[in-house]
Amino acid sequence: LSVAFDTYIIVEKNDKLYFVDQHAVEEAYIYMKKKEAYAQNPDSERLMIPVLFEIEKLPKNLNEKLEQLNSCGFCIEENEGSTYSISEIPCVLKNMSTGQLTQTLSSFLQDDADDERTIIDKILITASCRQAVKKGDRLTAIQIEEIITRFFKYNIMNCPHGRPVYFEIPRMTFERNFQRRR
C-alpha cells in the first residue's frame, strides 16, 4: 500500500494496480452505514439544548423544505428573523458535531436543485461527506488498511454523489508502458 498526493491509495491486487480515492470510499461506506441505521431506526432524539442556526439565503420554498425535514425526524422551528432552532434530530445523526449538523441543514435548505433523491438521502449524503476523511488528509497505516478493506469487501464503485472511487491498471498495460510486453 502506498498513497499519492495524500489522497489516492495505491494497491496491488490480482495483477492490477488500483488507485483508490480515500475520501470517496470513506464517504460511500459512511453513507451506506447511515442509511442502514436509519432504515433500522428512523426514530428521533430530542436534543438536551436546542441548536440555533441562521439561514443566510432564505429560499422561496423554505416552509416546504422545513416540513420535509420535520417529517423525516427533525424538529426545526423558526425563531426571530432568519434564525431557526433544532430541538430533535434523527437518531442516525446524533454523533454529528453541532457545526456539521448546522452546515448540513443549511446546505440542504439553500439548495435549489430538484433531484429524485429523498430528503433523508440528501441529508445522509451531506452528513457522510462532512464526516469522511478528506482529500489531503494524511492517514495512518491502520486507516488506509480499513479503507481498502471496505473498498474490496463492499465492492464500492461510486461515492454517493456518483463519482467513481477508483481506477485500475492491469499489469499487462503497466508492463507495456515499460516495453516489457507487446
Side-chain angles (χ1 to χ4, degrees):
L1 294 177
S2 184
V3 179
F5 312 116
D6 292 327
T7 301
Y8 306 103
I9 303 169
I10 304 167
V11 182
E12 177 188 338
K13 184 174 180 177
N14 299 332
D15 270 347
K16 294 179 184 174
L17 279 180
Y18 291 85
F19 297 83
V20 180
D21 184 324
Q22 65 190 29
H23 171 74
V25 170
E26 183 81 348
E27 178 184 30
Y29 176 76
I30 292 169
Y31 170 69
M32 178 183 73
K33 290 301 181 185
K34 284 185 182 301
K35 193 165 178 159
E36 286 172 3
Y38 184 77
Q40 291 174 1
N41 181 13
D43 295 338
S44 297
E45 183 170 292
R46 189 156 208 57
L47 301 176
M48 291 177 70
I49 300 171
V51 174
L52 296 177
F53 72 106
E54 190 169 349
I55 303 173
E56 293 177 17
K57 181 183 123 194
L58 295 172
K60 294 174 191 169
N61 60 347
L62 177 64
N63 289 334
E64 178 185 321
K65 286 191 170 213
L66 288 173
E67 283 178 28
Q68 290 175 332
L69 285 169
N70 289 339
S71 72
C72 292
F74 289 92
C75 182
I76 301 173
E77 297 171 323
E78 185 176 3
N79 289 348
E80 294 179 19
S82 58
T83 305
Y84 291 81
S85 65
I86 309 164
S87 58
E88 289 183 35
I89 60 172
C91 290
V92 70
L93 301 176
K94 68 183 177 187
N95 292 328
M96 286 183 78
S97 72
T98 301
Q100 288 175 331
L101 179 64
T102 57
Q103 286 177 341
T104 299
L105 291 175
S106 292
S107 293
F108 170 74
L109 290 169
Q110 294 179 46
D111 182 16
D112 291 332
D114 289 328
D115 62 30
E116 67 283 350
R117 292 188 187 266
T118 65
I119 175 68
I120 198 64
D121 274 348
K122 290 178 184 180
I123 296 295
L124 294 180
I125 287 169
T126 303
S128 300
C129 184
R130 294 192 191 290
Q131 191 177 340
V133 298
K134 304 293 182 265
K135 170 185 173 184
D137 285 353
R138 292 192 173 198
L139 306 181
T140 66
I142 292 170
Q143 289 173 305
I144 293 168
E145 188 64 43
E146 286 173 351
I147 289 171
I148 293 305
T149 299
R150 291 172 182 155
F151 167 68
F152 286 112
K153 180 178 180 181
Y154 296 104
N155 195 29
I156 298 172
M157 305 299 273
N158 298 88
C159 77
H161 299 102
R163 288 189 335 261
V165 300
Y166 79 101
F167 76 91
E168 63 186 53
I169 300 175
R171 180 178 182 166
M172 193 78 98
T173 302
F174 194 77
E175 289 183 348
R176 272 193 211 120
N177 285 321
F178 288 101
Q179 299 178 356
R180 293 190 172 269
R181 297 218 184 209
R182 294 183 189 263

